[in-house]
Amino acid sequence: MASRTSSRFGRRILWLAIAIVLVCAAYTGAWFYAARMLESRAVAVLEKVNGGGVRAFCEEPQARGFPFRIGLFCKSIFYENIHDGVSVRAGQLRSAAHVYQPFRVLSEVDGPASIMTPFTVPLRAQWGSLRASTRLTRPLPETVSVEGKAVRVSAEEGGGTLLAEMDDLQVHARQREADLEAALSFRNLRVGEEIVTGLPALEGRMLLLVTDGVALVQNRTRSLRGQSLTIEEMVVGLAGQRAEVSLSGPISVDDEGLIDAELSVGIDDPAAVAEQVARIFPDERDQIMAASGMVGGFAGAPLQIRIVSGRIFLGFIPLGTIPPVD
């Protein structure tokens, strides 16, 4: 009787082992099938993007991460848009998603990066780490977060002059129904001496809500005309000090490019803020220091600035005009 029970138990163990082997084989086959699909999809997307003045390149795309993750690896990455005058070239890209959470993708890019824009000299960016997290949905990602540590930006030529460096940089964006919410923060931003001499380290944060921002991104709208946003918070100040400037309020641009806004501006320690602003604009030092004295007379109350069809007012006092924007 014991021998028969032992035999049945042995067969169960054998069938269990066979089932485990079959499941593992099926899982392995499914993973490598998904990996090949990912590589083919990456190539197809790049082929679709390329053309009409746009080039995007992933060197030697390869799916990796077996057994519990899957992601795309590129030896280097490149993007160029000749219409915008922008190009970016960087090192290895590594991305990964857990097989049980495939729509949350984590990515990391190696530096340095070569960056060209129409508004600056050719730039070289380096970092200790640059990571991104994306939650994928259609037609656009639901959330995107990027975090950089020990970021350093310098001129590509002329001896690599330092332009700026910071300990921490974070950028976040998410959909809020049809609108797009974007946040940015930086810590210990130090501007190169070639740009401003003696400016202390800065820190800041910003939170924006772009009206119908999802459609703007999806349609790749470049014009600011007819658009609107709300600055929910914008703060820039001296790192570790009370001196800072804050700004909030709605801004809109009409079809002719004229700006309308209702802004609330707060200044903590106006004298210290004015001293640092005067370092940036030394030719305007006298006017800046005089303005700080006037601001100090408001006893810390926020300044209400209105922009009406491009005309700027502090209360009822006209301050100047802003030309139409594109």
Side-chain angles (χ1 to χ4, degrees), residues 115-156:
I115 304 170
M116 295 191 67
T117 75
F119 311 109
T120 65
V121 299
L123 303 175
R124 178 182 178 87
Q126 297 172 287
W127 50 82
S129 66
L130 183 62
R131 298 186 174 96
S133 174
T134 307
R135 188 175 297 277
L136 299 176
T137 57
R138 289 183 178 274
L140 296 174
E142 180 182 355
T143 62
V144 176
S145 297
V146 179
E147 181 178 12
K149 299 288 188 182
V151 179
R152 179 185 176 95
V153 180
S154 57
E156 185 80 48

Side-chain angles (χ1 to χ4, degrees), residues 214-250:
V214 174
L216 295 179
V217 175
Q218 187 177 357
N219 298 330
R220 300 181 182 179
T221 303
R222 291 186 175 90
S223 176
L224 296 175
R225 298 190 175 192
Q227 314 305 331
S228 63
L229 60 84
T230 299
I231 302 175
E232 298 188 343
E233 180 186 47
M234 182 184 294
V235 180
V236 178
L238 303 182
Q241 300 184 38
R242 189 171 63 89
E244 64 179 25
V245 178
S246 62
L247 176 71
S248 62

Side-chain angles (χ1 to χ4, degrees), residues 89-200:
R89 183 186 299 275
Q92 189 179 83
L93 166 69
R94 300 178 294 278
S95 66
H98 292 288
V99 293
Y100 56 83
Q101 201 175 20
F103 297 109
R104 183 173 183 269
V105 181
L106 304 177
S107 307
E108 186 172 17
V109 179
D110 290 343
S114 296
I115 304 170
M116 295 191 67
T117 75
F119 311 109
T120 65
V121 299
L123 303 175
R124 178 182 178 87
Q126 297 172 287
W127 50 82
S129 66
L130 183 62
R131 298 186 174 96
S133 174
T134 307
R135 188 175 297 277
L136 299 176
T137 57
R138 289 183 178 274
L140 296 174
E142 180 182 355
T143 62
V144 176
S145 297
V146 179
E147 181 178 12
K149 299 288 188 182
V151 179
R152 179 185 176 95
V153 180
S154 57
E156 185 80 48
E157 302 171 352
T161 302
L162 174 66
L163 302 178
E165 59 182 351
M166 65 193 82
D167 293 349
D168 180 81
L169 172 66
Q170 296 190 32
V171 180
H172 307 276
R174 66 172 182 173
Q175 298 183 38
R176 281 179 51 177
E177 297 181 350
D179 301 333
L180 182 66
E181 185 178 70
L184 179 147
S185 67
F186 57 87
R187 184 168 56 86
N188 285 336
L189 168 63
R190 298 172 293 279
V191 180
E193 292 290 323
E194 293 289 333
I195 299 177
V196 181
T197 301
L199 184 66

Side-chain angles (χ1 to χ4, degrees), residues 10 41 53 55-56 133 137 159 174 251 277 281 283 296 298 309 326:
R41 177 63 176 166
R55 290 195 298 156
S133 174
T137 57
R174 66 172 182 173
I251 302 175
V277 174
F281 305 103
D283 294 340
F298 285 89
S309 296
D326 294 327

Side-chain angles (χ1 to χ4, degrees), residues 51-109:
V54 176
R55 290 195 298 156
F57 179 68
C58 165
E59 183 182 4
E60 297 182 13
Q62 183 180 18
R64 298 182 187 177
F66 183 82
F68 301 118
R69 294 186 176 189
I70 186 168
L72 187 69
F73 282 59
C74 306
K75 284 187 67 175
S76 66
I77 55 175
F78 173 76
Y79 173 82
E80 180 184 48
N81 187 320
I82 62 173
H83 301 296
D84 295 336
V86 174
S87 70
V88 180
R89 183 186 299 275
Q92 189 179 83
L93 166 69
R94 300 178 294 278
S95 66
H98 292 288
V99 293
Y100 56 83
Q101 201 175 20
F103 297 109
R104 183 173 183 269
V105 181
L106 304 177
S107 307
E108 186 172 17
V109 179

